[in-house]
Structure formats: C-alpha cells, structure tokens
Amino acid sequence: MMGRQSRATERTPGRPREERVTGAVLEAVVDLVTEEGIGAVMMDAVAARAGVSKPAIYRRWPTKQDLIIAAAETRFGVLAVPDLGDFRAELHLVLTARLEAYRLPGSDRLISGLIGAAAETGTAGGQYSEYTERIMGETRRILERGIARGDVAPDTDVRAAATLVAAPLLFRLIGEQELPDARFVDALVDLVARAVGSAH
Amino acid sequence: MMGRQSRATERTPGRPREERVTGAVLEAVVDLVTEEGIGAVMMDAVAARAGVSKPAIYRRWPTKQDLIIAAAETRFGVLAVPDLGDFRAELHLVLTARLEAYRLPGSDRLISGLIGAAAETGTAGGQYSEYTERIMGETRRILERGIARGDVAPDTDVRAAATLVAAPLLFRLIGEQELPDARFVDALVDLVARAVGSAH
C-alpha cells in the first residue's frame, strides 16, 4: 500500500525506467533460480540476464539476500482479502492464493533458497523475518476479523493459529517435496476452521 | 528398529570402531553447521574434525546430502510414542520432543541447510523426502491410534492433519526465525486437538 501511494505521488519522468529495471532484475532472479537453482544468483549473471549494470542492482538491493527476498515477494507477496462475511471463505481465499503461487515452476527452489540463504547470512536474518512478518499480516487480520464477527473463537491464540494457516502448504512443498493441490487446501480449510471456529 | 536389530545380530569385533567413526563424523557435521553454517560442511573439514579419513566418510555417505541428512537424523529422528490412552497427551509428547530438539544450538542452521541443500541437488531429493516421510510416521500413527480409540474424528484426513502437527514449530523456527517455546506447544495442542477431535 505504501509503495503504491508513493508511486502515485512521486511520479517523475525517471519513474518508468526505474520500474522497468526493477521488474527486469527481479524477473531475472526468479528465472535463474527456476532454471539453475539459488546458487546461480550471482550479481554478474543477474545483471547480464536483466540487461542492466551491476551498480544499478547494488543501488536497489545492497546484498544478494535483499535481492532474493525482493524476488520472492513478487511471487509470495502481501495479500489483501476483502471481508467476505465468513471466516471459512476468507481462509479458503488465502490458501488458494498461496497454492497458486506455490505451484508455479521454481517456487520450491525460490523458497528453499531463501531459507538456506537466510540461515547463512546472520545479519540479514532481520530482513527475512520482517518479510515473513509482512506476509503473515493478512492471515492474522482475517483471524481477528473472525473474532470481531463471531465466527472465530474469542480465546484464539491468533499468532499460533496463523502458523497453522501458513505452514502446512509450505511443509508439503518444501518438506514433503510434493506440489500441494486443491484437495489439500480443502482439507486444511476444514481442519483450521474446526481448530479456531467459535462452535467448540 | 531395523538398525537396532542388525546391530544386535551382526556384532563383530569391528563393530565398535564402526559406531565410533559414525558418531564422530555426524557430531563433526553438527558442530560445523552450528559454528559456521552449512557451507562449512566440506568433506576435508569433516574428516579433519572427526579424525577419520575421507574414504571412510565416502564409504558410508556417498554425497554431502547423505551426510547432512544423517546428521539431521541424529537430532530429529524417528520418535516412538507409547499409547497413553489419550490423543492430546500423545500430541503433547510429540511436540515437546521436537521442541527440545529444535531449541538446541544450531538446529535452525541444520534444518535450513538441509532444506537449501535438498533444493540444489535434484537427484538427492528422494532421500530427503524419504527422511521427511520417516519422521512423520509417528505423527500419523498417533492420529490413527486416536481414530481407533475414538478421541480423533473418524473422518480426519490423517496426512493433512499430520502437517498441522509437524509444520508450525518448524515455521516458527525457520520462517519467523524465533525459538518456539512451551507456551506455543500448549497453544498448538489446543488448536490441533480441536481440529481433529471427535467432539465436533
């Protein structure tokens, strides 16, 4: 939201080129990871593939970790779920949006690479966990909206429940090394709705 | 179980040395990952630290991936949960055992490194997902025991429910980059017991 706002107010003649460079670089990162793995994300290779200079990349993303997070965020970004008047429906929407992104070619390598890189770069851990925090926000919000509405139990531990929503699809993709599917999403919707539903 | 049986029947004078080498190598891997990260797991460094020859390592673990999986399995291995007559109690036991292992120094790096390495080595993915399958077995078994006993709903999707047990602690450690604690385990026990409990 912030990004979109500043884009509207700060529009200058230089802006379209800025956006084109950003898009080309992040697309190059996703393509390299998909085709060759995270090890292929070297500044030289990214610059060559995106057709930009290395300084143009370093100016925007000072470290490789920043670059990988930004590329991941083009695919697994912040969701905005409208109030559908029903927690189950909103949960289904969140899980289906993530499912579609996780099923894209290269998503498993992109996420695994992000995790591996975060573990190696101690100092950059902060940015990585800020990213996780950011993309978890909408899940916590639909839980809180459900509590306010009355279809999520008022005593729900929202932060714990949010992990129940976010983690299983990732675990199937990265841990079980299997593409999650719509049937799995349906099973998760049933399980999570029972876990936090106000009916108990 | 297989391993333990063959150890009893095949005992030879050479066996204690075999076990000592295995123990020293896997401990060296865990130490290197804890201190320096997964990038430090080079055959030379492992051999030097364990005080064994490189061929002795290659004979047992042909690839670096095999070695990392074996080291991870010394810490996050197959659990054996006795029938406690109550699904909630068994669930608490599983989550507490995993919690203790995840809280050990270096566990985050070991798991992240394992995930990162699995994504890079296409062919070794099979062994990694076999490992995941192995350590998920007990969780599925306590769910099935609960169904047979009657305190887990008979229509539970056991494979989906097992991800609800296994994934959140890992997500907190690796995704949220925060040490899971006993309070989180208690919240998960409540959530998962509601999700699969026969009371709904």
Side-chain angles (χ1 to χ4, degrees):
Chain A
M1 284 313 253
M2 291 280 286
R4 218 165 285 161
Q5 277 193 346
S6 60
R7 216 174 292 165
T9 50
E10 283 172 29
R11 192 172 289 279
T12 67
R15 179 61 55 177
R17 179 171 147 72
E18 278 290 300
E19 284 180 17
R20 203 166 58 239
V21 169
T22 298
V25 170
L26 299 183
E27 198 183 315
V29 173
V30 170
D31 288 349
L32 282 168
V33 172
T34 303
E35 291 163 23
E36 299 173 50
I38 206 89
V41 182
M42 301 297 192
M43 288 292 185
D44 284 313
V46 174
R49 186 148 191 156
V52 304
S53 69
K54 281 210 286 179
I57 301 179
Y58 281 118
R59 205 160 47 232
R60 290 169 182 80
W61 304 280
T63 69
K64 185 177 154 175
Q65 170 82 345
D66 295 321
L67 192 55
I68 294 170
I69 291 175
E73 199 153 6
T74 63
R75 214 171 245 209
F76 323 110
V78 174
L79 298 173
V81 178
D83 186 341
L84 301 175
D86 177 50
F87 171 71
R88 261 187 87 97
E90 292 173 14
L91 176 63
H92 191 270
L93 201 149
V94 165
L95 289 174
T96 302
R98 293 295 180 217
L99 177 73
E100 283 165 8
Y102 293 159
R103 288 181 64 90
L104 294 174
S107 282
D108 52 347
R109 282 184 140 178
L110 193 55
I111 297 167
S112 301
L114 181 66
I115 292 170
E120 291 309 284
T121 51
T123 51
Q127 273 153 289
Y128 168 71
S129 53
E130 278 166 25
Y131 165 59
T132 306
E133 180 72 16
R134 211 152 53 232
I135 58 171
M136 294 289 282
E138 190 61 11
T139 300
R140 287 198 300 271
R141 198 149 47 240
I142 70 166
L143 284 160
E144 280 155 7
R145 194 151 68 196
I147 292 174
R149 186 193 294 123
D151 59 357
V152 170
D155 63 343
T156 300
D157 181 331
V158 169
R159 223 175 143 242
T163 68
L164 229 61
V165 177
L169 285 177
L170 283 168
F171 185 83
R172 175 129 310 167
L173 182 68
I174 302 301
E176 299 182 307
Q177 301 222 303
E178 202 181 307
L179 269 190
D181 58 19
R183 205 178 139 264
F184 185 47
V185 162
D186 290 343
L188 289 175
V189 168
D190 279 343
L191 287 164
V192 175
R194 282 177 190 166
V196 305
S198 53
H200 62 259
Chain B
M1 284 313 253
M2 291 280 284
R4 218 164 285 160
Q5 276 192 348
S6 59
R7 215 174 292 162
T9 49
E10 284 172 27
R11 192 173 290 279
T12 67
R15 177 63 57 177
R17 180 172 146 72
E18 278 291 301
E19 285 180 15
R20 204 168 57 239
V21 169
T22 297
V25 170
L26 299 182
E27 197 182 316
V29 173
V30 170
D31 288 348
L32 282 168
V33 172
T34 303
E35 290 164 23
E36 299 172 50
I38 206 89
V41 182
M42 302 298 193
M43 288 293 186
D44 283 313
V46 174
R49 186 147 191 157
V52 303
S53 70
K54 281 210 285 179
I57 300 178
Y58 282 117
R59 205 160 48 235
R60 290 169 182 80
W61 305 280
T63 70
K64 185 176 154 176
Q65 170 83 345
D66 295 321
L67 192 56
I68 294 171
I69 291 175
E73 200 153 6
T74 63
R75 215 172 244 208
F76 324 110
V78 174
L79 298 174
V81 177
D83 187 340
L84 301 175
D86 177 51
F87 171 71
R88 260 186 88 96
E90 293 173 13
L91 176 64
H92 192 270
L93 201 149
V94 165
L95 289 174
T96 301
R98 293 294 180 217
L99 177 73
E100 283 165 8
Y102 293 159
R103 288 182 65 90
L104 293 174
S107 283
D108 52 348
R109 281 184 141 178
L110 192 55
I111 297 168
S112 302
L114 181 65
I115 291 170
E120 292 309 283
T121 51
T123 51
Q127 273 154 290
Y128 168 71
S129 52
E130 278 166 25
Y131 166 58
T132 305
E133 180 71 17
R134 211 152 54 231
I135 58 170
M136 294 288 285
E138 189 62 10
T139 299
R140 287 198 300 270
R141 197 148 50 238
I142 69 166
L143 284 161
E144 280 154 8
R145 193 151 69 197
I147 292 173
R149 186 194 293 123
D151 59 358
V152 170
D155 63 343
T156 300
D157 180 331
V158 169
R159 218 172 150 246
T163 68
L164 229 60
V165 177
L169 285 178
L170 284 168
F171 186 83
R172 176 128 310 166
L173 182 68
I174 303 301
E176 300 182 308
Q177 301 221 304
E178 203 182 307
L179 268 190
D181 57 19
R183 208 180 136 262
F184 185 47
V185 163
D186 290 343
L188 290 174
V189 168
D190 279 344
L191 288 163
V192 175
R194 282 176 190 168
V196 305
S198 53
H200 62 260

